[in-house]
C-alpha cells in the first residue's frame, strides 16, 4: 500500500508541476510534423490546424499527404503544405527541413513522429531490417534535429520526440523497433542535458506512449493481446501540449509513467507480467 501511495504521490506531483497550456500560443506557429499521413502524426497535424498553426507535413505517400493537408486547411490551419520524403533515403531528412524552413520562414516546432513498418514477431536474424529501421526511426531523427537546430534556436523553439514505453521497457516481438526507441531516448536524453548546460533556447520534449489505437498498431496486436489501446487523437493532443509547454518528458496514458518508474523494483514480477501479456504457444 505504501509503495502504491508513493507512486500515486509521484504521479500527481508530475501532473501538478506541468505548466498550463495556452492554445493561443500556437496561432501562426510554424510547425513541421513527420509521419503525418496516418495515425498519431495525422491527428497531430489536425490539432495544430485547429489551433491555427502553419503546418508542413511529411511522409512517403504524396497522395495521402495531399488529403491530410486539405483537411488541415479546412480545420483552420493558416498554411498547410506537404512534402513527400523517405526517411531511409540519405538526403531526404535534410531536404525536408530545408523545405519547411524556406516555406515557413523558420521553424517553431519540429515534431519527429515517423516510424518505418516493422513486423510484430520473434526476431529470426533479420539484421538488414534492423539496420534499415535504425535509419528510419533513429538516424533520420538525429539528422533532422541537427539541420533544424539553428532555426529552433532563433525562434526559442521546441523539438518533440515521439517515443514509446518500449523505449524504456523491452518487450517480446519488437526487438528492432524497441532498440530504435531506446536509441532515441538515450540520444535525446543526452541532448537535453547538453542544451540545458549551454543555456540553449531550444527545449526537447520526449513523449512516452503506451498502446494507441492506430490502424498499424492494432492490426499487429489485436489477436495477441488484450491490453487496452488509447485514442490517437488524445495522444496527439498530449504530444502538442508537451512541446508548447516545454515539458522535458510526458507520459500517455498516465500509467506508462507508473510502469517506467516501478519496472525495476521487482524485475521478475515485471518480466512475468510482460511475458504473460501475449497469447503465444511455442
Ligand atoms: P503509423 O504506422 O500509423 O504511421 C507511421 C507514419 O510514418 C506514417 O505517416 C507513414 O506514412 C510514415 N512513414 C513510414 N515509413 C516512412 C519512411 N520510410 N519515411 C518517412 N515516413 C515514413 O504509426 P503510429 O501513428 O502508430 O505511431 C506514431 C508514433 O507513435 C511512432 O513514433 C510510434 O513509435 C509512436 N508510438 C505508437 C504507439 C501505438 O501503439 N500506435 C505506441 C507507442 C509509441 P507513409 O507510409 O505515407 O510513409
Amino acid at each position: 500500500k505504501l509503495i502504491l501511495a508513493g507512486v500515486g504521490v509521484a504521479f500527481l506531483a508530475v501532473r501538478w508541476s506541468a505548466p498550463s497550456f495556452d492554445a493561443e500560443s500556437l496561432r501562426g506557429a510554424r510547425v513541421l510534423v513527420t509521419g503525418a499521413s496516418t495515425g498519431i502524426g495525422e491527428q497531430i497535424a489536425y490539432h495544430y490546424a485547429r489551433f491555427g498553426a502553419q503546418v508542413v507535413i511529411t511522409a512517403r505517400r504524396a497522395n495521402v499527404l495531399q488529403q491530410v493537408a486539405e483537411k488541415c486547411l479546412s480545420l483552420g490551419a493558416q498554411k498547410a503544405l506537404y512534402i513527400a520524403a523517405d526517411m531511409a533515403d540519405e538526403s531526404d531528412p535534410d531536404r525536408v527541413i530545408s523545405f519547411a524552413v524556406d516555406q515557413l520562414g523558420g521553424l517553431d516546432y519540429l515534431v519527429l513522429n515517423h516510424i518505418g513498418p516493422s513486423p510484430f514477431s520473434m526476431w529470426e536474424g533479420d539484421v538488414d531490417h534492423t539496420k534499415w529501421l535504425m535509419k528510419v526511426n533513429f538516424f533520420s531523427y538525429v539528422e533532422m534535429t541537427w539541420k533544424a537546430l539553428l532555426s529552433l534556436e532563433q525562434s526559442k523553439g521546441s523539438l518533440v520526440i515521439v517515443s514509446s514505453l518500449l523505449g524504456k521497457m523491452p518487450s517480446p516481438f519488437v526487438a528492432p523497433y524497441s532498440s530504435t526507441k531506446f536509441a532515441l531516448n538515450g540520444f535525446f536524453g543526452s541532448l537535453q542535458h547538453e542544451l540545458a548546460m549551454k543555456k540553449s533556447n531550444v527545449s526537447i520534449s520526449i513523449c512516452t506512449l503506451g498502446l494507441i489505437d492506430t490502424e498499424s498498431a492494432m492490426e499487429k496486436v489485436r489477436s495477441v493481446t488484450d491490453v487496452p489501446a488509447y485514442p490517437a487523437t488524445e495522444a496527439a493532443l498530449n504530444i502538442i501540449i508537451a512541446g508548447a509547454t516545454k515539458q522535458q518528458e510526458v507520459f500517455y496514458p498516465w500509467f506508462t509513467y507508473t510502469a517506467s518508474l516501478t519496472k525495476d523494483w521487482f524485475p521478475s514480477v515485471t518480466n512475468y507480467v510482460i511475458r504473460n501479456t501475449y497469447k503465444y504457444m511455442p
Side-chain angles (χ1 to χ4, degrees):
K1 273 186 182 168
L2 255 178
I3 292 170
L4 284 177
V7 170
V9 168
F11 175 68
L12 289 174
V14 167
R15 297 294 289 193
W16 282 331
S17 63
S20 64
F21 168 57
D22 172 17
E24 268 307 301
S25 69
L26 294 177
R27 190 163 301 283
R30 299 161 301 175
V31 180
L32 169 59
V33 185
T34 70
S37 59
T38 51
I40 299 167
E42 179 184 358
Q43 298 305 319
I44 293 173
Y46 294 153
H47 282 305
Y48 275 123
R50 288 184 195 99
F51 291 131
Q54 308 180 60
V55 289
V56 171
I57 54 174
T58 186
R60 290 168 304 178
R61 290 168 297 163
N63 57 335
V64 188
L65 286 170
Q66 187 186 355
Q67 289 167 14
V68 175
E70 279 164 14
K71 187 163 172 191
C72 284
L73 285 175
S74 73
L75 289 172
Q78 286 186 9
K79 242 183 206 180
L81 306 167
Y82 66 90
I83 173 168
D86 184 345
M87 292 302 162
D89 186 275
E90 287 302 327
S91 55
D92 276 9
D94 271 18
R95 185 169 66 83
V96 169
I97 297 291
S98 299
F99 175 84
V101 171
D102 290 349
Q103 295 292 323
L104 302 177
L107 206 56
D108 299 301
Y109 293 94
L110 171 57
V111 183
L112 296 176
N113 162 79
H114 63 274
I115 45 167
S118 190
F120 187 82
S121 58
M122 292 267 176
W123 191 67
E124 301 286 0
D126 194 344
V127 176
D128 285 342
H129 171 71
T130 310
K131 284 184 183 167
W132 174 84
L133 200 66
M134 220 37 175
K135 208 168 180 182
V136 176
N137 292 11
F138 174 64
F139 287 115
S140 69
Y141 280 49
V142 172
E143 285 166 46
M144 292 182 94
T145 296
W146 183 243
K147 184 82 177 168
L149 215 47
L150 183 61
S151 292
L152 292 172
E153 192 68 50
Q154 284 163 352
S155 65
K156 299 191 169 73
S158 301
L159 173 62
V160 182
I161 304 296
V162 181
S163 190
S164 166
L165 188 58
L166 297 176
K168 289 177 177 286
M169 217 162 140
S171 193
F173 311 124
V174 286
Y177 172 79
S178 185
S179 51
T180 66
K181 293 298 184 184
F182 266 81
L184 284 179
N185 284 1
F187 185 88
F188 287 98
S190 183
L191 201 59
Q192 275 177 333
H193 286 304
E194 294 179 8
L195 294 183
M197 289 161 80
K198 288 200 268 190
K199 304 207 185 315
S200 160
N201 289 327
V202 183
S203 67
I204 300 181
S205 303
I206 300 174
C207 307
T208 298
L209 304 183
L211 184 60
I212 308 298
D213 65 359
T214 60
E215 222 174 287
S216 66
M218 287 300 97
E219 77 185 16
K220 282 177 192 159
V221 304
R222 200 175 279 125
S223 59
V224 287
T225 182
D226 298 324
V227 169
Y230 285 74
T233 174
E234 211 170 300
L237 188 57
N238 276 269
I239 289 164
I240 289 176
I241 293 174
T245 56
K246 295 185 174 287
Q247 291 175 68
Q248 288 229 340
E249 200 164 10
V250 289
F251 294 85
Y252 178 84
W254 66 271
F255 59 77
T256 55
Y257 177 64
T258 322
S260 18
L261 205 65
T262 56
K263 68 182 171 51
D264 297 326
W265 293 0
F266 308 104
S268 48
V269 176
T270 305
N271 290 339
Y272 178 84
V273 171
I274 290 173
R275 287 168 203 170
N276 287 280
T277 301
Y278 301 100
K279 297 166 200 155
Y280 174 73
M281 295 294 262

